[in-house]
Amino acid sequence: MSEQPFPAAYGFLASARTGGGQDPEAPRFATRGRYSELSERLRAQSVRFTLVHPGDDTSGAYATGADTLVVLAGEIYNRAEIDTVLDRAAASDAERVLGLVERYGLHAFRLVNGRFAAFVAEGERVLLATDHSGSVPLYTRRTAGQVLAATEAKTLAAPHQGDLGFPAGGARRVRRLPGLHQVPAGSVLEIDTGRGTAETHRTWVPPVSRRIMSEEAAVDAVRHALEKAVARRLAPAAPPLVVLSGGIDSSGVAALADAAVLGPIDTLSMGTDRSDEFPQARVVADHLGSRHREITIPTSELLAQLPHTLHAAESLDAEVIEYLLPLTALYRRLEGPARRVLTGYGADIPLGGMHREDRLPQLDTAVAFDMDTFDGLNEMSPVLSTASGHWSTHPYWDREVLELLTVLEAGLKRRYGRDKWVLRAAMGDVLPQETVVRPKLGVHEGSGTTSGFTLLVREAGVPEAGVAAAKTAVVEELFDRIVVGGEEPDRVDLPEVVEKVAKAVKG
């Protein structure tokens, strides 16, 4: 189980200087928390960093060695294994990363299974590292004599003194933000501050091979991997909160969390006035005896979350923003103290759940494509929840679970005419039968988000043929105003934005 209820830090802004550059401006975070500004002087570099964190103590968010500083946002899940490698029990996740870096250099991140972004200043270089899925986005801007890095793009949106930044070898440029780059998932961006060079090293890639396993072996392996992933994400003294739709993905997480703790867990379902999955979720909640809540959000209120979703996710993909709207709305409606939240999000990608396809070659092609193109979409950014003070985590994108689910051959994913068969079989003894066999719905389908966003632009006069283009234009306009321009999401007049886009699309 986790050593503490929440990570030591949710996000950071860090600056390493060899002599040039300037101190970072006051950071703009969507993440809610306390800010702490710290500095360290290394042999060749001066480092200043701002942590945004949930508690009083920041010591677990950074660690220093002889000539090395590690700043870490997020958490590590294979702590026991890492402590075995280090031959000692580290006091924090940042200390674990420091110990690994001192022993293995940048290859240290090949050993880490977690949900994190890391900044490492060492000698005359800076290492910027993401977890295997890039689930905590990490951005950088390089200028003369300085490396800036932050877990939110908006923090680095404004060029410093008119300098648009240097290329960052292998990192992708962030559209609409010149000079800003996003560190790829499963990568370490190595920047030599003395020579001014930058190179990306992959520490994880989606597996492309497939394993042939018996039904029994595959089901047992999936069950064991998920049990382990869920247990690693639980806090020691507080019941988890599981976002529950009543589908196999979230219901499986809820059932395994319930089995791993004493006493009932908390579950929460969200619907709108257009659609909900409350009856299906209640079946699971009643089966588990969870403390269950239902939240109904009017479609108009849900769509009003568009600016806040852009503020948190910082994505220009209209489809992704559409998918994330219900989660943003749910976290913003979640009252009470900060919670550790587990979700079933992400299972569809390695299992091909949204590809209801009986032809196995096409299914495997779809899985390979989705695994190859998920990066940079920020679908699992913790800012979606930390913007409301909560910490979310997704067991299906645990590195060990993801590797297992991806390599299973397509015939175990689509079998006996059923999608995600191996997962359904693995959960068959802990869930009601009607839940195990229930057909798949996406979170946006269950809440009616897709039809709601479409209705929003159609009511502004956009013809059917222009709906997709209008949605993209709305997202781009919001991105420019909120992420690039720094406008607060509550101050954005969404109807005005939609009307402006509608006029442009209609010509």
Side-chain angles (χ1 to χ4, degrees):
M1 289 193 179
S2 300
E3 296 171 342
Q4 53 191 12
F6 302 104
Y10 287 161
F12 61 75
L13 164 65
S15 165
R17 296 166 58 184
T18 58
Q22 60 179 333
D23 289 335
E25 299 173 2
R28 294 192 290 123
F29 287 107
T31 295
R32 193 172 80 195
R34 305 184 182 190
Y35 287 15
S36 294
E37 296 185 8
L38 301 105
S39 63
E40 291 283 342
R41 177 63 189 172
L42 304 180
R43 175 179 56 83
Q45 302 183 83
S46 296
V47 182
R48 294 179 62 88
F49 54 102
T50 300
L51 299 171
V52 54
H53 52 99
D56 296 325
D57 185 14
T58 62
S59 60
Y62 67 99
T64 56
D67 191 36
T68 306
L69 168 70
V70 171
V71 180
L72 186 76
E75 59 189 2
I76 292 173
Y77 298 125
N78 60 335
R79 294 181 177 120
E81 292 92 330
I82 291 174
D83 288 349
T84 299
V85 170
L86 297 177
D87 297 322
R88 59 183 172 82
S92 68
D93 286 346
E95 283 199 5
R96 290 183 176 91
V97 172
L98 175 65
L100 290 176
V101 168
E102 290 178 335
R103 177 172 293 193
Y104 296 106
L106 62 85
H107 304 287
F109 294 97
R110 302 183 193 279
L111 303 175
V112 182
N113 176 7
R115 175 165 169 72
F116 67 87
F119 173 99
V120 181
E122 179 189 46
E124 293 188 350
R125 69 175 181 172
V126 170
L127 306 178
L128 305 178
T130 56
D131 64 52
H132 62 285
S133 60
S135 68
V136 180
L138 184 59
Y139 302 91
T140 185
R141 184 187 295 281
R142 295 201 305 135
T143 59
Q146 184 177 37
V147 176
L148 293 160
T151 51
E152 295 185 35
K154 64 182 72 65
T155 300
L156 301 177
H160 288 247
Q161 296 180 342
D163 193 335
L164 295 182
F166 300 157
R172 73 176 63 82
R173 292 184 178 275
V174 180
R175 290 163 52 202
R176 310 178 91 85
L177 287 169
L180 199 64
H181 294 76
Q182 185 171 3
V183 180
S187 293
V188 176
L189 179 61
E190 179 186 18
I191 302 172
D192 188 310
T193 53
R195 294 183 298 174
T197 58
E199 182 180 0
T200 296
H201 306 267
R202 296 306 301 266
T203 56
W204 186 85
V205 293
V208 296
S209 62
R210 299 293 181 259
R211 290 184 61 190
I212 299 174
M213 302 175 68
S214 69
E215 290 185 356
E216 182 179 3
V219 168
D220 287 346
V222 169
R223 175 64 171 269
H224 175 72
L226 280 171
E227 286 176 338
K228 188 176 179 182
V230 168
R232 283 171 160 175
R233 285 161 171 77
L234 302 178
L241 173 64
V242 179
V243 178
L244 181 63
S245 69
I248 187 63
D249 304 343
S250 62
S251 298
V253 170
L256 296 180
D258 180 71
V261 301
L262 296 175
I265 64 170
D266 296 327
T267 53
L268 177 65
S269 297
M270 194 218 80
T272 68
D273 51 359
R274 299 178 66 86
S275 180
D276 66 60
E277 300 173 273
F278 291 160
Q280 295 85 352
R282 275 187 226 118
V283 169
V284 179
D286 290 345
H287 178 78
L288 299 177
S290 66
R291 293 183 292 248
H292 187 63
R293 291 175 55 200
E294 297 172 350
I295 297 176
T296 299
I297 298 179
T299 301
S300 59
E301 182 181 331
L302 180 69
L303 294 172
Q305 305 303 318
L306 273 166
H308 292 278
T309 305
L310 260 296
H311 194 222
E314 300 182 321
S315 173
L316 280 159
D317 190 306
E319 190 172 87
V320 168
I321 294 300
E322 198 166 62
Y323 291 169
L324 298 179
L325 270 173
L327 288 176
T328 306
L330 184 147
Y331 293 132
R332 285 174 57 80
R333 273 287 199 97
L334 188 55
E335 300 171 350
R339 297 297 303 269
R340 175 173 284 268
V341 184
L342 276 66
T343 84
Y345 201 77
D348 284 327
I349 296 178
L351 288 172
M354 295 303 292
H355 303 282
R356 293 138 192 176
E357 174 63 71
D358 282 315
R359 292 170 293 176
L360 300 186
Q362 285 84 346
L363 176 61
D364 199 66
T365 296
V367 170
F369 176 81
D370 288 346
M371 287 300 302
D372 198 41
T373 56
F374 73 86
D375 191 19
L377 298 177
N378 296 355
E379 289 186 75
M380 285 168 278
S381 171
V383 186
L384 293 159
S385 57
T386 58
S388 300
H390 310 289
W391 176 255
S392 59
T393 180
H394 317 293
Y396 290 104
W397 274 68
D398 181 274
R399 191 179 69 181
E400 295 173 14
V401 172
L402 188 63
E403 288 173 342
L404 172 63
L405 296 182
T406 302
V407 301
L408 293 178
E409 55 99 359
L412 289 166
K413 300 173 184 180
R414 183 77 186 184
R415 202 170 189 88
Y416 307 122
R418 187 164 295 158
D419 64 278
K420 293 192 283 194
W421 175 85
V422 67
L423 175 61
R424 297 178 187 279
M427 297 293 109
D429 65 331
V430 291
L431 290 172
Q433 182 64 14
E434 64 184 277
T435 303
V436 173
V437 302
R438 182 191 170 204
K440 166 69 188 173
L441 280 181
V443 61
H444 58 295
E445 295 174 300
S447 62
T449 307
T450 303
S451 58
F453 196 178
T454 298
L455 182 63
L456 182 69
V457 296
R458 286 299 304 274
E459 288 182 340
V462 175
E464 183 63 35
V467 166
K471 288 180 179 180
T472 296
V474 167
V475 167
E476 290 177 347
E477 175 74 12
L478 292 174
F479 187 93
D480 287 347
R481 292 175 61 167
I482 295 169
V483 179
V484 180
E487 189 171 349
E488 290 297 322
D490 281 328
R491 298 180 66 87
V492 173
D493 188 332
L494 185 59
E496 177 186 280
V497 171
V498 174
E499 183 66 27
K500 174 183 174 181
V501 167
K503 288 180 179 179
V505 171
K506 291 184 291 185

